[in-house]
Amino acid sequence: CEAQILLVADVPGWAWGPKARQLRQHNAQHYGGVDIVYTNEPGATLQAGYDLYHTFEVSQLGGIPVGWPVVTGVTAHVWQTWEKRYGEGTVRGWASRALAFHANSRLLQRELEAYLGYEVFYIPNGVDETFWTRRRPPPESRLIVGHVAKPNPRKGGEIIAEACRQAGVDLRVIARRSQNALAPEEVREFYQDIHVLAVASDMDGTPNPALEAASCECAVVSNAIGNMPEFIVPGVNGLLAERSVAGLASALSYLQGLPLSDIVAMGRAARQTVLDGWRWSKQAEHHAALWDHALAKAAALV
C-alpha cells in the first residue's frame, strides 16, 4: 500500500508519543510512509496531503481541517465529561467526521458502540517488551507495591496509599505530569524495586504503567478499568479488585500472606502475558486493520 499516514500525537515523551513511534516502527513497511507530528511542540503544523490522519482522541479533531481523511477514537473513560462540558451529542458530532472510530479496551468499545450506534474498532495498546525488562532480581526481604500516575484524584493514588497502609505493605510512588515526567529509563529503574504495580483509576482505557510493569515482571493489582480485565488473569499474573480502600486492601493483604516466591512467579507470568499478545509488534496489526478499512472507505467516497 502506497498510502501516506500521519500520526497526530501531542508530547514526545508522554503516552501518545511512544505509542506513535511504535506504530511507525512496526507498520511503516506496509505503507508508503508513516510520519508523526507532535502538536504540543513549538511551531508544530499539520501538513496537508496525507491519505490518512490518525488521531488518538476524538477531541483532537478541533485541529484537523474538515474534509481531511481521519480516524479517531477514545482512549480513556472520561469522554462522558465532554458531553457535560460541550453539550449532549458532542462526541457523536465529532465522530461523524471520521472514517472509523477506535477504542483501546473492550469496556470502552461497548460503551461507545452503545452511544454511537455503529461498530467501533478495538485497538488495544501494547508495550515495548525489548525495553521494559527486569534487569535485576526483585527485592527479597518484603512485598513492595508501586504506583505510577499523574497526580489526579481520578487515578486513585490516595485509595492505594490507604489500602497499602491497612494491608501493611510498603508503597513506592511516581506521581508526575508530562511537564516533569521521568525519563523512561528512570521509570524502568523504579519497576526493578517493586513486586506489584497497583492501579485504582476510574479514567484510563489502558493504564500504560501496568503494561510496562508487567513487562518488567511485576504482578498487577487493578480495579476493572480499561483493558485490565482483558490482561489480568486473577491469581496467575495479578488480581482484580474493587476500586475502594477495602477492595484493594483485601487484595494486597492476600498477596502479603503469600510466599514472596509466589509473587515473583506472578510477575514472571505477567511478563509472559505481554509476550503472548501485548507486544507492540502484535498490537500494531490492529491499527493496520483500522487504517486499511479507513483507506478503503475513503477510496470508495472519491
Side-chain angles (χ1 to χ4, degrees), residues 4-74:
Q4 301 285 326
I5 297 172
L6 182 65
L7 302 170
V8 185
D10 50 2
V11 181
W14 210 235
W16 296 342
K19 181 175 180 177
R21 292 193 294 275
Q22 289 292 325
L23 293 177
R24 179 176 61 186
Q25 174 185 335
H26 292 290
N27 282 342
Q29 68 272 25
H30 302 304
Y31 300 93
V34 177
D35 298 327
I36 303 171
V37 62
Y38 300 102
T39 56
N40 286 21
E41 291 285 271
T45 59
L46 287 176
Q47 298 295 322
Y50 283 88
D51 298 291
L52 188 64
Y53 296 80
H54 179 104
T55 57
F56 295 98
E57 202 77 74
V58 67
S59 57
Q60 291 180 284
L61 290 187
I64 306 289
V66 174
W68 285 18
V70 62
V71 296
T72 194
V74 166

Side-chain angles (χ1 to χ4, degrees), residues 60-269:
Q60 291 180 284
L61 290 187
I64 306 289
V66 174
W68 285 18
V70 62
V71 296
T72 194
V74 166
T75 61
H77 294 266
V78 295
W79 65 271
Q80 300 97 328
T81 65
W82 301 333
E83 296 283 285
K84 297 176 182 177
R85 183 184 306 173
Y86 301 113
E88 186 177 348
T90 296
V91 175
R92 192 177 291 113
W94 287 338
S96 67
R97 291 181 48 194
L99 293 165
F101 206 86
H102 58 80
N104 62 352
S105 75
R106 293 294 188 192
L107 285 173
L108 271 171
Q109 182 188 36
R110 290 193 293 270
E111 283 182 23
L112 290 159
E113 285 182 340
Y115 170 80
L116 295 172
Y118 56 77
E119 179 185 6
V120 170
F121 278 77
Y122 170 59
I123 310 291
N125 281 356
V127 64
D128 180 2
E129 83 288 356
T130 64
F131 178 84
W132 299 104
T133 60
R134 180 159 287 283
R135 301 163 67 85
R136 62 175 181 271
E140 297 181 356
S141 57
R142 63 192 185 280
L143 177 64
I144 300 176
V145 175
H147 177 59
V148 179
K150 58 187 175 184
N152 181 326
R154 297 196 65 174
K155 294 287 189 175
E158 293 183 359
I159 295 173
I160 290 171
E162 179 59 20
C164 286
R165 189 192 69 80
Q166 292 189 14
V169 299
D170 288 352
L171 173 64
R172 298 183 182 178
V173 175
I174 294 177
R176 295 190 175 217
R177 301 186 185 278
S178 60
Q179 297 89 336
N180 67 339
L182 294 178
E185 291 79 7
E186 295 175 285
V187 180
R188 181 177 62 189
E189 186 67 15
F190 173 84
Y191 295 140
Q192 307 306 305
D193 292 326
I194 66 173
H195 302 94
V196 175
L197 193 284
V199 175
S201 172
D202 71 349
M203 64 186 291
D204 292 287
T206 298
N208 288 311
L211 297 185
E212 296 165 359
S215 191
C216 291
E217 298 187 13
C218 300
V220 179
V221 174
S222 174
N223 57 310
I225 189 69
N227 51 29
M228 289 297 91
E230 301 156 42
F231 182 87
I232 293 174
V233 182
V236 176
N237 61 7
L239 294 173
L240 288 170
E242 178 185 281
R243 186 183 187 265
S244 66
V245 170
L248 284 164
S250 175
L252 295 173
S253 295
Y254 169 77
L255 294 179
Q256 179 83 310
L258 296 177
L260 200 56
S261 58
D262 287 2
I263 311 301
V264 172
M266 280 190 183
R268 288 196 295 267

